[in-house]
Amino acid sequence: MADLGEIVGLAERTLGPSSGPPVRLTGGITNRNYRLRFGQRDCVLRLTGPQTELLGIDRRSERAAGDAAAALGIGPAVLDIGPGYLVTEYLDGTPISAGALRGDPGPAARALRAFHDCGLRVANRFWVPDLLDAYAVIVSERRHRLPDDYGLAVEVAGRIAAVLPLRAPVPCHNDLLAANVLLAPNDPARVMLVDWEYAGMGHRLFDLGNLAVNNDFDAAAQQRLLAAYFGAPPSSALTAALALMQIMSDAREAAWGVVQAVISELEFDFTAYAARHFTRLRASADSPQFEEWLDAATA
């Protein structure tokens, strides 16, 4: 990663002098993040990890998505971007818990619907079957062995894509951990979405599935999510599609962990991270419901 002092100096050219030492922010397993002031503004400075473009990240698409989210009032303003770094405004919002998201997914669903329908077009394409193929090449080129369950992930993602193809891509966030969803300052009925680095043109239901599986939505919470997003009680086909996209999310997370174990310089057990998602993926694929969901989603 780039030197922190050098990056602060680069950002000062655009944002004015910094004041006080940068404070490291916890969380995140791709980059390093700091809170600091430039001029009169509280900001977040992110130092991007090395080779992050191999993970499916496109920085131009990230900037465009961040700008669009800020214009919609659902994301922080992007203040500066350059080689190896990004500066956004600091949001004094409250991190939302997974439990709170399960209890009332409405604000997150409405934020996602607004972004999906905003008309933005970015260069990056985010589609899990393509990512799995690209990740496998990266691993093999570095002479590492793919885990035994990688083939299963490719097979399962392919079967889901066959019934839920990417026919009408929309701009998506694609990384909806609870840590990336904040309650808006002074407005608990509104959420702010942060960390747009995986933004790309994708399947709107992937964002919903990604949010649901990353935050342990049960069946009732999934129904609330779909109803809030679509404005009506969901059909059985839509319910099945959401279940399949949660499995698609696990396929991507598992494969992402495999690649990160090869390329990342961060001190994190990416192999164990991948194994957890492979385990859940296998359990889902072995369930009788998987075939039922595939049949129902085509209806």
Side-chain angles (χ1 to χ4, degrees):
M1 293 186 180
D3 177 77
L4 176 59
E6 292 180 4
I7 293 297
V8 170
L10 288 174
E12 286 179 328
R13 298 177 185 177
T14 301
L15 302 175
S18 62
S19 57
V23 177
R24 180 77 180 266
L25 299 175
T26 59
I29 51 176
T30 305
N31 313 291
R32 285 187 286 156
N33 300 285
Y34 299 87
R35 180 180 177 181
L36 71 167
R37 288 181 66 83
F38 287 104
Q40 301 303 310
R41 288 180 291 196
D42 280 334
C43 303
V44 174
L45 168 66
R46 190 184 68 209
L47 303 188
T48 57
Q51 304 183 85
T52 52
E53 71 280 358
L54 300 178
L55 299 172
I57 295 171
D58 178 81
R59 299 300 175 187
R60 292 171 299 173
S61 297
E62 176 188 16
R63 174 64 187 266
D67 286 340
L72 290 167
I74 61 170
V78 179
L79 303 177
D80 190 28
I81 190 169
Y85 75 95
L86 174 78
V87 182
T88 63
E89 68 172 327
Y90 176 81
L91 294 177
D92 192 21
T94 304
I96 194 167
S97 68
L101 276 171
R102 291 192 296 270
D104 182 12
R110 290 187 288 272
L112 288 172
R113 185 62 188 259
F115 186 74
H116 292 164
D117 292 347
C118 73
L120 176 69
R121 293 292 181 267
V122 297
N124 200 33
R125 172 183 163 98
F126 189 101
W127 186 227
V128 173
D130 295 343
L131 286 170
L132 297 186
D133 290 343
Y135 288 170
V137 170
I138 292 166
V139 172
S140 63
E141 285 180 343
R142 285 155 179 77
R143 301 183 184 279
H144 287 260
R145 180 180 176 275
L146 290 169
D148 293 340
D149 278 336
Y150 202 97
L152 175 66
V154 171
E155 177 189 351
V156 167
R159 294 190 68 191
I160 295 172
V163 299
L164 296 171
L166 184 59
R167 290 200 179 110
V170 297
C172 293
H173 184 283
N174 300 312
D175 192 22
L176 292 161
L177 305 170
N180 290 336
V181 184
L182 305 179
L183 291 174
N186 305 314
D187 188 356
R190 185 165 62 94
V191 301
M192 305 288 277
L193 305 178
V194 300
D195 195 356
W196 291 88
E197 68 179 342
Y198 288 99
M201 304 302 294
H203 201 302
R204 66 177 69 229
L205 287 177
F206 179 84
D207 258 355
L208 299 186
N210 185 243
L211 179 73
V213 74
N214 281 331
N215 295 285
D216 298 319
F217 279 31
D218 60 14
Q222 292 173 41
Q223 292 291 295
R224 290 191 290 270
L225 173 65
L226 289 170
Y229 183 89
F230 289 102
S235 65
S236 58
L238 198 54
T239 300
L242 179 64
L244 292 174
M245 281 301 182
Q246 292 179 73
I247 302 172
M248 187 80 97
S249 178
D250 271 333
R252 185 261 170 175
E253 292 292 337
W256 178 91
V258 171
V259 174
Q260 281 284 59
V262 173
I263 69 172
S264 179
E265 297 177 359
L266 295 175
E267 294 183 3
F268 184 83
D269 192 346
F270 290 105
T271 299
Y273 180 93
R276 288 196 299 273
H277 287 280
F278 278 130
T279 297
R280 189 162 62 184
L281 171 69
R282 179 169 288 281
S284 298
D286 288 344
S287 168
Q289 287 183 299
F290 179 54
E291 299 297 335
E292 295 172 5
W293 290 328
L294 288 171
D295 290 340
T298 62

